[in-house]
Amino acid sequence: MKPLMSAMSPHEVRQLIRKGQITGPTAGLAASYAQANLVILKKESAFDFLLFCQRNQKPCPVLDVTEAGSPVPAIAAPGADIRTDFPKYRIYQHGVLTEEAADITPYWKDDFVGFLIGCSFSFEQALINHQIPVRHIEEGLNVPMYKTDIDCVPAGPFSGKMVVSMRPVPERQAVRAAQVTSRFPAVHGGPVHIGNPKGIGISDLDKPDFGDAVTVREGEVPVFWACGVTPQAVVMEAKPDIVITHSPGHMLITDIQNESLAIL
Amino acid sequence: MKPLMSAMSPHEVRQLIRKGQITGPTAGLAASYAQANLVILKKESAFDFLLFCQRNQKPCPVLDVTEAGSPVPAIAAPGADIRTDFPKYRIYQHGVLTEEAADITPYWKDDFVGFLIGCSFSFEQALINHQIPVRHIEEGLNVPMYKTDIDCVPAGPFSGKMVVSMRPVPERQAVRAAQVTSRFPAVHGGPVHIGNPKGIGISDLDKPDFGDAVTVREGEVPVFWACGVTPQAVVMEAKPDIVITHSPGHMLITDIQNESLAIL
């Protein structure tokens, strides 16, 4: 079934998700299209959050922002509905996770603004196309993610440390991995760090703060990219009345071709 | 005097501007540092304008956004004051130019938000470093700018056509010009069009809508880049109560090195 789904159109996949026929993680679906993370906030917080994203583009690359009250991401996926087209959502009230849901229509308000944020799936495809291994995919795990000591640039109530994802890369391919991903600033861009984890405040690669630990083989170097978990962590820290996000790994398939995000 | 000024620090140049000892265009000053365009709006319009910039990053690459009421661009030039450190400003009320001033302190309001927008001076330096001629500099003219038929993606009250700047490039260097400037998405990035002006709705290269016509020599092709005049034109069109911009060519010298804006 997986190979067929990887070849489906974004619209077809979204329809299956909307009907509840796909309920799991979206990795590998409609493989050549960009997937998006979600943060929904009240309009009153939208300027500060957009400014946070503008000031921290590596962890927070914005693909689309919905009009207040509209569930349609008119630029990234004009036929989609952000209330139903992610397989799973998380609802947080005052910074506390209160519910997971497959459909947030009952919670939708006229002053909600949805932010679609680029995802590393897009550049992982580019790495694979260049024969650079992506370990967590090979091992069937979630990518390991770590809190760093790198400060984000604050905006209004939003501030915090950058979260990074890590992929072990054979030493001889590390420069190529940096080159390949630098082409994609709209989906986190080039790495923020190569090598020594302590250099960015990570004490133990075997104990990621999110996701799963992966094998780092002899002759491989850890390569760290800014991660889309950063904006979610920062929003939680600000503890707004209500914020809705996607559940990790359960993304929206956009109509944007990964390759169209390359700047050269 | 010019060579000395090109080697001055951004801080030194800003001090001379603030004291009224530099009153003219800023081209060539502190040459390795990025210069910025300015749009000041009321806070109530800031979200829509920031969203317009996010949706139209090629013409509107944001370098910094000031906190409401603060004249300090804390990221791009922490020691600067956007009320005094541009040599000349334009004040528009309801879309009409009402005054030019060298100091806008008397007009400053607690709800003003300043947007600093990247400028093509940064990539022109990169072109020159690659021995690609920049005709309007050679001819001592302003860069020619044209309204196109390319629609910007609207946001709130802000919408309109993209304005582009044009530089004639020898045919054999056109690809290199595209490569060199693609490294700089924060200052307009790669060209939006190469060749036939009519392809983007420009009827006569000799009649630019802004700036000066320049010579296009035999064997040269016109290359068009998204232009920072776009956001100003779009804001004028929306006719807010008040908007303050820099006067064309009279920019802020930031503390950002041009090369640091390259993404690879």
Side-chain angles (χ1 to χ4, degrees), chain B:
Chain B
M1 188 164 176
K2 205 72 178 291
L4 273 172
M5 282 198 176
S6 74
M8 286 173 77
S9 77
H11 176 75
E12 288 171 318
V13 176
R14 291 195 302 261
Q15 289 301 312
L16 291 178
I17 290 170
R18 195 180 293 188
K19 291 178 194 158
Q21 292 171 14
I22 294 178
T23 58
T26 50
L29 302 181
S32 63
Y33 291 86
Q35 299 198 13
N37 299 313
L38 176 69
V39 174
I40 297 174
L41 290 166
K42 287 183 175 177
K43 167 91 193 209
E44 64 191 27
S45 299
F47 173 70
D48 284 329
F49 186 68
L50 183 58
L51 187 54
F52 182 84
C53 293
Q54 194 279 325
R55 289 178 174 169
N56 300 279
Q57 293 188 35
K58 284 207 128 183
C60 315
V62 174
L63 292 179
D64 200 356
V65 181
T66 59
E67 301 296 330
S70 166
V72 178
I75 295 167
D81 184 324
I82 63 168
R83 300 170 301 185
T84 55
D85 293 358
F86 290 73
K88 209 189 289 176
Y89 298 86
R90 287 185 168 180
I91 298 153
Y92 294 82
Q93 291 176 304
H94 304 285
V96 178
L97 174 64
T98 54
E99 200 183 337
E100 277 204 321
D103 179 347
I104 55 162
T105 309
Y107 300 91
W108 189 255
K109 293 273 177 18
D110 277 354
D111 65 343
F112 277 2
V113 177
F115 292 82
L116 296 186
I117 294 171
C119 152
S120 56
F121 285 5
S122 298
F123 75 66
E124 287 180 350
Q125 191 57 50
L127 291 171
I128 291 166
N129 293 347
H130 286 261
Q131 282 88 48
I132 296 168
V134 179
R135 184 62 32 79
H136 64 276
I137 295 180
E138 293 173 353
E139 297 187 338
L141 298 168
N142 282 325
V143 67
M145 293 165 273
Y146 306 85
K147 291 180 192 160
T148 69
D149 60 6
I150 303 170
D151 285 314
C152 292
V153 184
F158 302 113
S159 67
K161 304 292 183 184
M162 189 189 295
V163 177
V164 296
S165 60
M166 188 279 290
R167 292 161 191 79
V169 173
E171 285 169 3
R172 302 199 308 189
Q173 289 180 291
V175 169
R176 190 71 184 143
Q179 290 169 329
V180 165
T181 54
S182 293
R183 296 174 60 227
F184 294 94
V187 284
H188 303 306
V192 293
H193 188 68
I194 295 179
N196 180 21
K198 293 190 176 59
I200 52 173
I202 299 170
S203 54
D204 188 348
L205 281 188
D206 289 332
K207 293 181 182 153
D209 294 295
F210 313 94
D212 304 312
V214 298
T215 312
V216 182
R217 296 187 190 143
E218 188 69 27
E220 288 181 340
V221 63
V223 182
F224 301 91
W225 281 268
C227 177
V229 166
T230 309
Q232 292 199 5
V234 157
V235 168
M236 295 313 132
E237 199 68 24
K239 300 186 180 33
D241 300 359
I242 187 158
V243 52
I244 301 177
T245 71
H246 68 292
S247 284
H250 296 68
M251 256 81 87
L252 178 76
I253 321 285
T254 74
D255 291 344
I256 302 170
Q257 289 266 9
N258 287 326
E259 270 304 314
S260 74
L261 293 171
I263 59 134
L264 77 170

Side-chain angles (χ1 to χ4, degrees), chain A residues 22-250:
Chain A
I22 294 178
T23 58
T26 48
L29 303 181
S32 63
Y33 291 87
Q35 299 198 13
N37 299 313
L38 176 68
V39 173
I40 297 174
L41 290 165
K42 286 184 176 178
K43 167 91 192 208
E44 65 191 27
S45 300
F47 174 70
D48 284 330
F49 186 67
L50 183 58
L51 187 54
F52 183 84
C53 294
Q54 194 278 325
R55 289 179 174 170
N56 300 279
Q57 293 188 35
K58 284 207 128 183
C60 315
V62 175
L63 292 180
D64 200 355
V65 180
T66 59
E67 300 296 329
S70 166
V72 178
I75 294 167
D81 185 323
I82 63 169
R83 299 171 302 185
T84 54
D85 294 357
F86 291 73
K88 209 189 288 176
Y89 299 85
R90 287 184 168 180
I91 298 152
Y92 294 83
Q93 290 176 304
H94 304 286
V96 177
L97 174 64
T98 54
E99 198 183 338
E100 277 204 321
D103 180 346
I104 56 162
T105 308
Y107 300 89
W108 188 254
K109 294 271 176 18
D110 276 353
D111 66 342
F112 278 2
V113 176
F115 292 81
L116 297 185
I117 294 171
C119 153
S120 56
F121 286 3
S122 298
F123 75 66
E124 288 181 349
Q125 191 56 49
L127 290 171
I128 291 166
N129 293 346
H130 285 261
Q131 283 87 49
I132 297 168
V134 180
R135 185 62 33 77
H136 65 277
I137 295 180
E138 293 173 354
E139 297 187 337
L141 298 169
N142 282 326
V143 68
M145 292 165 273
Y146 307 85
K147 291 178 192 163
T148 69
D149 61 7
I150 302 169
D151 285 314
C152 293
V153 184
F158 302 114
S159 67
K161 303 292 184 185
M162 189 189 296
V163 177
V164 296
S165 60
M166 188 280 289
R167 293 161 191 80
V169 174
E171 284 169 3
R172 302 199 309 186
Q173 288 180 290
V175 169
R176 189 72 184 143
Q179 290 169 331
V180 165
T181 54
S182 293
R183 297 175 59 228
F184 293 94
V187 285
H188 303 306
V192 292
H193 189 67
I194 296 180
N196 179 20
K198 292 189 177 59
I200 52 173
I202 299 171
S203 54
D204 188 348
L205 280 188
D206 289 333
K207 292 180 183 155
D209 294 295
F210 313 94
D212 304 311
V214 298
T215 312
V216 182
R217 297 188 189 141
E218 188 71 26
E220 288 182 340
V221 62
V223 182
F224 301 91
W225 280 268
C227 175
V229 166
T230 309
Q232 292 199 4
V234 157
V235 168
M236 294 313 132
E237 199 67 24
K239 300 187 178 34
D241 300 358
I242 187 159
V243 52
I244 301 177
T245 71
H246 68 291
S247 284
H250 297 68

